[in-house]
Amino acid sequence: MVTGVPVYNLQDSLEDVEEGLLYNSCEYCTMDYIYFTNRKNVLKGVISIKNLVKARDKTLPSSEIMVEDLVTVDPYTDQERVVYLALSNGLKAIPVVDEAGKLLGAVPYDTILQIFNHEVQSDIFNFGGIFHRVGDEYTSIHSSAIHMIRSRLPWLIIGVIGGTLAATLIAQFEELLAGFIALASFIPVMVYMSDAAGAQTEALIIRSMALDTKLNVRKYLTREILVASALALVSGAFAALLAYLTRQNLILGIIIFLALFFSIIASVTINTVAPLILRRFNYDPALATGPLATIFSDIATLAIYLAVAITLLGGT
Amino acid sequence: MVTGVPVYNLQDSLEDVEEGLLYNSCEYCTMDYIYFTNRKNVLKGVISIKNLVKARDKTLPSSEIMVEDLVTVDPYTDQERVVYLALSNGLKAIPVVDEAGKLLGAVPYDTILQIFNHEVQSDIFNFGGIFHRVGDEYTSIHSSAIHMIRSRLPWLIIGVIGGTLAATLIAQFEELLAGFIALASFIPVMVYMSDAAGAQTEALIIRSMALDTKLNVRKYLTREILVASALALVSGAFAALLAYLTRQNLILGIIIFLALFFSIIASVTINTVAPLILRRFNYDPALATGPLATIFSDIATLAIYLAVAITLLGGT
């Protein structure tokens, strides 16, 4: 937010405003909009500099041409919300007011674009599993190889730990696998599919939260689980069909269908609920998109796959 | 691009310009900048409306206060480049000129913000594996469940096909796996790690291309492969150590190390080279981030894993 914004009185004529802008312009950080307040400094309207120049009769009081239907934020508004408001209303700057409606300053155009750029970088880096500091200006083009290794290694190390846990889980079922080795061949497709469905969920929730910071959680979750069920049904059936056709084994097909169905639903649910929970407790929801959610859904997927197999094939 | 921009002659005084703006303002779509051309309509300078209002002596010719060091684009410039120029120069609008430098119009602020928003959505949706049309305004909040299923199902179906191919590949080595069943337990960690390293690569290349549309490919690729080697070395060694500790099997540790080392390098290379190749042939590089690259790297990873295992353990 910048505080050096042009503020005039409701009663000032457009001439007064133009003259004021002329002599005080050095003090203003942004001049896209001129703000008008009453005697108590409460924001009442706004005139864009474009409309000021356009106005033919400069003796009119400002209140005649000012826009009174205002989009404002308070000092505690999320940065994302400022970007959302600018995008959805096509505004170049957004005024900041306190609880009483008093004008405190404005967020100018270049700040909005910079916030947007940082949000996007942060979302994509979280999604991709790259450690970064908030507000860190680094772009991958200019950063050193050492810096890149430091940003990328942590999630890979955590991934190795998660993967070893998964391997230890599977190890408990090695007899089962050795007895029905075709099951091992389908491990990658199980893991891949649950990751793919999870990645779609993450991409959508990142964009949904960016575009509407007041997302209706219940409605979103209901639709997402409905969608997940349909996707799980179709891809599960298709995978089962291919498994049956390539292996001529009915029980394998049934295992693949049930395991894929439940694991896609589990993965979508984990990837939707985790960011919503984080947001509820005021953490950055994007932290829950990316590697951690993937590790959890992979382990859930493997557990579901092995549980379905053991149930249908009976005992280890 | 809009063509209704204020254009005046180099010799016009600031007064003339203000008067012109006053009487022609309805024709202008954007008035953040006033453009000045010579007699051949070649763009020579620009004055922001802010500086026009600020100027105290309005009898001066415009050329006295105009900025001559201009940022321009031509009609064939990529949309991403326009956003990049606006971001890096803090501009509200960018003039469009032809080869001869003649002014054709300008890309205004709200268009720049909308382009940016679409680019981001497109990048994240490609990354997450969601089908979408370019310029499609849909956001996930308002779209129906049916629409969502249609956007998400195609990549999942392709994923099932890719996964079945992977299963068929592994099936050729089932004797090997059955004879050394611990190998099956480590399939998920191999797939997970190559995906995780690939996702990082994709996140970085998406941002790098967005921030600098004239990326130095050779330099980028060299550094990326250097970074990949370091990441592959450390995570491979760590995974091998954990595999050895949990299984007390030296040969398993060596297989995990070599396979993870080569498959991370393969995955990073696939995920870097694919978007660069697409860009080279004028396709959208983001098409190569997301599911297709993941399917290729997964199959490469499994092939590497099985090849390393068979080499070290000796023939099926």
Side-chain angles (χ1 to χ4, degrees), chain B residues 245-275:
Chain B
L245 290 177
T246 52
R247 298 306 180 94
Q248 304 293 331
N249 187 324
L250 186 61
I251 192 85
L252 180 70
I254 296 173
I255 293 171
I256 298 288
F257 172 72
L258 290 175
L260 204 49
F261 179 78
F262 289 117
S263 67
I264 287 180
I265 292 178
S267 168
V268 169
T269 309
I270 290 171
N271 282 285
T272 309
V273 171

Side-chain angles (χ1 to χ4, degrees), chain B residues 117-128:
Chain B
N117 192 32
H118 277 133
E119 290 297 329
V120 167
Q121 169 159 323
S122 175
D123 284 350
I124 292 184
F125 280 7
N126 276 318
F127 195 7

Side-chain angles (χ1 to χ4, degrees), chain A:
Chain A
M1 183 184 92
V2 295
T3 50
V5 294
V7 184
Y8 292 88
N9 198 286
L10 282 180
Q11 280 75 39
D12 290 343
S13 75
L14 298 176
E15 268 175 342
D16 297 339
V17 174
E18 279 202 341
E19 200 164 316
L21 289 179
L22 212 58
Y23 290 100
N24 300 310
S25 60
C26 302
E27 293 167 24
Y28 301 141
C29 312
T30 174
M31 268 176 58
D32 293 312
Y33 299 103
I34 297 108
Y35 300 102
F36 296 89
T37 56
N38 67 12
R39 285 182 195 171
K40 287 178 174 164
N41 194 30
V42 172
L43 183 65
K44 287 293 179 183
V46 62
I47 301 180
S48 67
I49 191 161
K50 187 163 138 183
N51 286 332
L52 177 67
V53 174
K54 271 180 175 180
R56 296 195 182 185
D57 181 358
K58 306 276 182 182
T59 58
L60 283 176
S62 310
S63 50
E64 285 289 310
I65 67 161
M66 78 183 186
V67 175
E68 293 177 54
D69 182 17
L70 295 172
V71 173
T72 61
V73 294
D74 66 56
Y76 307 104
T77 306
D78 278 346
Q79 291 199 322
E80 295 91 328
R81 179 109 192 123
V82 176
V83 175
Y84 167 69
L85 291 171
L87 254 174
S88 51
N89 297 288
L91 297 173
K92 295 194 186 74
I94 306 225
V96 182
V97 297
D98 68 11
E99 319 87 76
K102 289 186 186 168
L103 184 66
L104 301 173
V107 185
Y109 164 77
D110 43 352
T111 308
I112 293 173
L113 208 54
Q114 293 299 342
I115 295 172
F116 194 18
N117 192 33
H118 278 133
E119 291 296 330
V120 167
Q121 168 156 325
S122 176
D123 285 350
I124 293 185
F125 280 9
N126 277 317
F127 195 8
I130 292 168
F131 268 73
H132 60 282
R133 276 193 297 271
V134 176
D136 196 347
E137 270 295 345
Y138 104 70
T139 68
S140 66
I141 311 147
H142 306 294
S143 45
S144 67
I146 295 291
H147 184 100
M148 299 286 293
I149 293 167
R150 276 213 215 117
S151 321
R152 294 168 67 168
L153 201 52
W155 275 124
L156 294 180
I157 292 295
I158 294 169
V160 169
I161 297 171
T164 307
L165 285 177
T168 311
L169 170 73
I170 302 173
Q172 314 307 314
F173 299 85
E174 277 179 1
E175 267 183 56
L176 169 78
L177 287 175
F180 191 11
I181 191 69
L183 283 176
S185 296
F186 285 87
I187 289 177
V189 73
M190 302 302 302
V191 172
Y192 173 82
M193 291 302 293
S194 105
D195 285 358
Q200 291 181 334
T201 303
E202 291 179 1
L204 288 168
I205 205 160
I206 287 174
R207 286 307 289 160
S208 303
M209 286 186 171
L211 290 170
D212 187 356
T213 47
K214 293 186 173 164
L215 192 66
N216 181 333
V217 173
R218 184 181 301 237
K219 201 174 144 198
Y220 190 88
L221 202 58
T222 311
R223 196 200 49 192
E224 191 63 21
I225 288 172
L226 183 72
V227 170
S229 310
L231 296 175
L233 198 69
V234 179
S235 6
F238 185 55
L241 179 71
L242 290 188
Y244 175 71
L245 290 177
T246 53
R247 298 305 180 92
Q248 305 291 333
N249 187 323
L250 185 63
I251 190 86
L252 180 70
I254 296 172
I255 293 171
I256 298 288
F257 172 72
L258 290 175
L260 204 49
F261 179 77
F262 289 117
S263 68
I264 286 179
I265 292 178
S267 169
V268 169
T269 309
I270 291 172
N271 282 286
T272 310
V273 171
L276 291 173
I277 289 178
L278 281 192
R279 199 180 60 155
R280 178 78 187 240
F281 292 102
N282 285 321
Y283 288 94
D284 181 359
L287 286 176
T289 63
L292 210 54
T294 309
I295 293 170
F296 277 116
S297 2
D298 280 1
I299 292 179
T301 298
L302 290 167
I304 290 169
Y305 184 46
L306 295 167
V308 168
I310 212 127
T311 308
L312 291 187
L313 297 172
T316 36

Side-chain angles (χ1 to χ4, degrees), chain B residues 162 166 176 240:
Chain B
L176 169 78

Side-chain angles (χ1 to χ4, degrees), chain B residues 268-288:
Chain B
V268 169
T269 309
I270 290 171
N271 282 285
T272 309
V273 171
L276 291 173
I277 289 177
L278 283 192
R279 199 180 58 156
R280 177 76 186 242
F281 291 100
N282 285 323
Y283 289 95
D284 182 359
L287 287 176

Side-chain angles (χ1 to χ4, degrees), chain B residues 36-238:
Chain B
F36 296 90
T37 56
N38 66 12
R39 289 183 190 167
K40 289 178 173 163
N41 193 29
V42 172
L43 182 65
K44 286 294 180 184
V46 63
I47 300 180
S48 68
I49 192 162
K50 188 164 139 183
N51 286 331
L52 177 68
V53 174
K54 269 180 176 181
R56 298 197 179 184
D57 181 358
K58 306 275 181 182
T59 59
L60 283 175
S62 308
S63 51
E64 285 290 307
I65 68 159
M66 78 184 187
V67 175
E68 294 176 54
D69 183 17
L70 295 172
V71 173
T72 61
V73 294
D74 66 57
Y76 308 103
T77 307
D78 277 346
Q79 291 199 324
E80 296 91 325
R81 179 112 192 119
V82 176
V83 175
Y84 167 69
L85 290 171
L87 253 175
S88 51
N89 297 288
L91 297 173
K92 294 194 186 75
I94 306 220
V96 182
V97 297
D98 68 10
E99 320 87 78
K102 288 185 186 168
L103 184 66
L104 301 173
V107 186
Y109 164 79
D110 42 352
T111 308
I112 293 174
L113 207 55
Q114 293 300 341
I115 295 172
F116 194 18
N117 192 32
H118 277 133
E119 290 297 329
V120 167
Q121 169 159 323
S122 175
D123 284 350
I124 292 184
F125 280 7
N126 276 318
F127 195 7
I130 292 167
F131 268 72
H132 59 283
R133 275 194 298 270
V134 175
D136 195 349
E137 270 295 345
Y138 103 70
T139 68
S140 67
I141 310 147
H142 306 293
S143 43
S144 69
I146 295 292
H147 184 99
M148 299 286 295
I149 293 167
R150 274 210 217 124
S151 321
R152 294 168 67 168
L153 202 52
W155 274 124
L156 294 180
I157 292 295
I158 294 170
V160 169
I161 298 171
T164 307
L165 284 178
T168 312
L169 171 73
I170 302 174
Q172 314 307 315
F173 299 85
E174 279 179 358
E175 266 182 58
L176 169 78
L177 288 175
F180 190 10
I181 191 69
L183 283 176
S185 296
F186 285 87
I187 288 176
V189 72
M190 301 302 303
V191 172
Y192 173 81
M193 290 302 292
S194 106
D195 285 358
Q200 292 181 333
T201 302
E202 291 178 1
L204 288 168
I205 206 160
I206 288 173
R207 287 307 289 159
S208 302
M209 285 184 171
L211 290 171
D212 186 355
T213 45
K214 295 187 170 160
L215 193 67
N216 181 332
V217 173
R218 184 181 301 237
K219 203 175 143 198
Y220 189 88
L221 202 59
T222 311
R223 196 200 49 192
E224 192 64 21
I225 288 172
L226 184 72
V227 170
S229 311
L231 296 174
L233 198 69
V234 179
S235 9
F238 185 56

